[in-house]
Amino acid sequence: MAKAPVVTPRADDFPRWYQDLINKAELADNGPVRGTMVIRPYGYALWERTQQEMDARIKAAGASNAYFPLFIPQSYLTREAEHVEGFAPELAVVTRGGGKELEEPVVVRPTSETVVNASFAKWVQSYRDLPLLINQWANVVRWEMRPRVFLRTTEFLWQEGHTAHATYEEAREYAARIHREVYADFMVNVLGIDVVLGRKTASERFAGAVNTLTLEGMMGDGKALQMGTSHELGQNFAKAFGTRYLSGDGREEYVWQTSWGSSTRMVGGLIMAHGDDSGLRVPPRLAPVQVVVLAIKGDEAVLAKVREVGDRLAEAGLRVRVDDRTDTPFGRRAVDWELKGVPARVEIGPRDLEGGTAMLARRVPGGKEPVAVDALAALLPGVLEEDQALLLRQSRELREARTAEVSSVGEAVEAAVAGGWARLPWAVLGEEGEVRLAEHGVTVRCLVAEDGSVPDADDAPGNVAVVARAY
């Protein structure tokens, strides 16, 4: 009799596979309020590693962490017309507190441009106070009509950066720097997803921004996922909140601003970009546990060796977990670690002790092979780097194989509906074509230049539209 799959095969039902994997790998549960989630310890460990890697890059770009309030006066949002209009359907508004009606309703933060500017307007007095580069790690609430764990939830975790600059050029360059050096560097070199960097069209732009830069990843079913965005805000919020500075020649000027964010949605992207029918595959540079050392049986000599190997690998700088829970069947434990996507399993039993070997199982390429125990500490770092590179290569190959070059709106819709991306000249598509795509649930994910770089303007000659169905 054929063995029942641990999770629904991806080819049978991709959404069911995604939900099965989240449940079986113990990443998250649905929260008690519709659209919320409980992030379980292993899922949160993935987010913690994401935070650590991202935070280091954000600080290298010169930003400092701060914290702004969860509650925002409703009047703040109404100061910037496009902003309030863009977020109005998603707002959670508190009208009662302390047992009585509030004099002014407060909004549970959907994003913090408004409350940040209330502080920036106080903090910025002179050109000497600029640039002001702030980031915060926080939660936000956007009332989600079609929730999906990690991808779209009513409350989610994220980082949001907010900066103020003396000139348009400086703000523009900083938004681009975050796009490249923080987001792209993390997503490509740690998350192992070969994202496309581009510019949003006017209809897809962040509410209140003059330009939005995006990073789009292809998921295992061919749909796109927006992984992060960096916005040029111009002077829209500065004028709404009076965020001004005295220039070197004594003139009062409005600051130029940026904002940028990425969220727990990246955990969903990790699952859908790299997962397979056996569960997660976690990139070694991201993995909270890079190597798990398993005792096959509860023999004292085996347990001693397993713990010794664990210590030796940890000393070599690897993130290691020792699994000596021999009261749980070995097969069940092995499947559990495979579901969780731990890059390497080192399995040791009585027979291995006799030969001075261990069985090395690699999650990313699959397969097992015997390895001398004494060679593991020297061997594993290289193995993990090979597997990191393989995930990135597979991500790139999937996107290239499932992206069609087309010349009409009809062909673009056909490619997207079939489970892929399409590229066509923006001069051919235009805003009119964008509306036609939307009728089929297809969107322009971004605009890219002919050479694949990020274009300077929406209407730059040679711009190419990348279109797809998206999460």
Side-chain angles (χ1 to χ4, degrees):
M1 183 181 291
K3 200 171 169 183
V6 178
V7 294
T8 301
R10 291 189 308 165
D12 291 358
D13 188 335
F14 195 84
R16 172 65 66 183
W17 165 83
Y18 177 77
Q19 197 57 52
D20 279 357
L21 199 161
I22 286 171
N23 292 335
K24 297 285 180 67
E26 300 178 334
L27 301 179
D29 288 332
N30 290 315
V33 174
R34 184 180 182 275
T36 61
M37 63 176 168
V38 175
I39 306 176
R40 300 185 67 177
Y42 190 67
Y44 199 81
L46 292 169
W47 176 239
E48 281 184 311
R49 285 284 307 134
T50 297
Q51 280 185 299
Q52 290 162 11
E53 292 283 349
M54 291 278 289
D55 198 58
R57 287 164 173 78
I58 289 167
K59 286 171 179 167
S64 300
N65 286 336
Y67 185 80
F68 293 87
L70 176 69
F71 295 125
I72 302 172
Q74 192 171 41
S75 60
Y76 278 24
L77 270 80
T78 62
R79 294 195 200 179
E80 212 290 328
E82 286 184 18
H83 192 65
V84 70
E85 184 182 348
F87 280 101
E90 301 177 316
L91 296 181
V93 183
V94 179
T95 58
R96 289 183 64 84
K100 59 183 181 182
E101 290 289 323
L102 299 178
E103 287 184 21
E104 179 185 353
V106 297
V107 172
V108 183
R109 124 182 104 218
T111 180
S112 298
E113 280 75 12
T114 58
V115 71
V116 165
N117 263 281
S119 291
F120 277 18
K122 291 188 294 183
W123 299 347
V124 176
Q125 304 297 323
S126 154
Y127 69 92
R128 295 182 184 88
D129 300 321
L130 299 172
L132 181 54
L133 313 174
I134 297 293
N135 177 65
Q136 78 164 341
W137 292 94
N139 61 339
V140 292
V141 170
R142 298 179 184 177
W143 215 258
E144 184 56 57
M145 296 297 104
R146 295 184 299 277
R148 185 171 295 182
V149 173
F150 288 122
L151 300 179
R152 289 189 178 275
T153 48
T154 297
E155 179 193 7
F156 55 90
L157 305 180
W158 78 344
Q159 59 73 215
E160 51 176 318
H162 302 274
T163 71
H165 305 263
T167 67
Y168 163 73
E169 290 77 15
E170 188 181 312
R172 185 182 193 187
E173 175 49 40
Y174 196 77
R177 181 181 179 185
I178 293 294
H179 192 221
R180 295 187 312 268
E181 296 179 17
V182 176
Y183 293 153
D185 185 63
F186 168 74
M187 291 169 195
V188 172
N189 295 317
V190 179
L191 210 52
I193 298 176
D194 194 48
V195 290
V196 170
L197 281 68
R199 178 186 183 101
K200 286 291 189 186
T201 62
S203 66
E204 293 287 325
R205 194 177 292 152
F206 177 72
V210 298
N211 181 32
T212 292
L213 304 174
T214 185
L215 303 99
E216 303 286 329
M218 180 180 279
M219 302 297 100
D221 61 351
K223 286 185 180 178
L225 184 70
Q226 178 181 291
M227 304 283 289
T229 47
S230 183
H231 316 289
E232 297 171 38
L233 301 181
Q235 294 179 314
N236 291 348
F237 289 92
K239 289 177 179 177
F241 285 84
T243 313
R244 294 183 287 255
Y245 72 98
L246 201 63
S247 69
D249 56 10
R251 288 183 301 165
E252 199 171 57
E253 306 273 6
Y254 286 106
V255 299
W256 297 84
Q257 292 183 274
T258 78
S259 69
W260 25 278
S262 61
S263 73
T264 37
R265 165 178 282 213
M266 286 193 290
V267 179
L270 162 70
I271 296 166
M272 293 194 298
H274 294 319
D276 63 18
D277 287 350
S278 297
L280 267 176
R281 293 190 305 163
V282 181
R285 291 181 189 170
L286 180 77
V289 179
Q290 294 175 309
V291 185
V292 60
V293 187
L294 289 92
I296 295 175
K297 295 199 172 177
D299 179 289
E300 281 304 319
V302 168
L303 293 173
K305 178 57 74 173
V306 161
R307 291 162 189 156
E308 177 197 319
V309 170
D311 289 342
R312 201 180 304 166
L313 296 181
E315 287 167 7
L318 299 170
R319 295 186 289 277
V320 183
R321 181 78 58 85
V322 170
D323 186 345
D324 53 7
R325 301 168 297 155
T326 51
D327 53 344
T328 300
F330 169 75
R332 180 176 169 182
R333 288 183 287 132
V335 167
D336 184 52
W337 290 114
E338 188 167 57
L339 273 166
K340 287 180 164 61
V342 171
R345 296 196 315 272
V346 174
E347 302 169 354
I348 300 174
R351 290 182 186 172
D352 301 300
L353 276 188
E354 291 174 14
T357 62
M359 193 62 72
L360 174 62
R362 291 168 65 177
R363 180 67 184 88
V364 174
K368 287 186 180 186
E369 61 176 333
V371 174
V373 169
D374 291 343
L376 284 167
L379 177 72
L380 278 168
V383 164
L384 294 175
E385 281 300 296
E386 285 176 17
D387 293 351
Q388 179 79 31
L390 176 58
L391 282 174
L392 180 61
R393 187 164 68 249
Q394 289 176 344
S395 172
R396 181 180 303 117
E397 289 170 353
L398 174 72
R399 179 172 56 78
E400 290 174 348
R402 295 179 72 166
T403 299
E405 299 286 341
V406 303
S407 56
S408 71
V409 174
E411 290 175 341
V413 169
E414 189 178 332
V417 170
W421 293 8
R423 286 166 41 97
L424 76 163
W426 175 241
V428 172
L429 182 65
E431 293 178 5
E432 207 174 286
E434 199 173 4
V435 172
R436 289 171 58 197
L437 288 177
E439 294 169 359
H440 300 275
V442 179
T443 53
V444 177
R445 303 315 306 157
C446 61
L447 300 175
V448 298
E450 280 181 299
D451 63 0
S453 64
V454 180
D456 289 331
D458 294 355
D459 57 356
N463 274 2
V464 174
V466 178
V467 312
R469 284 187 163 169
Y471 287 99

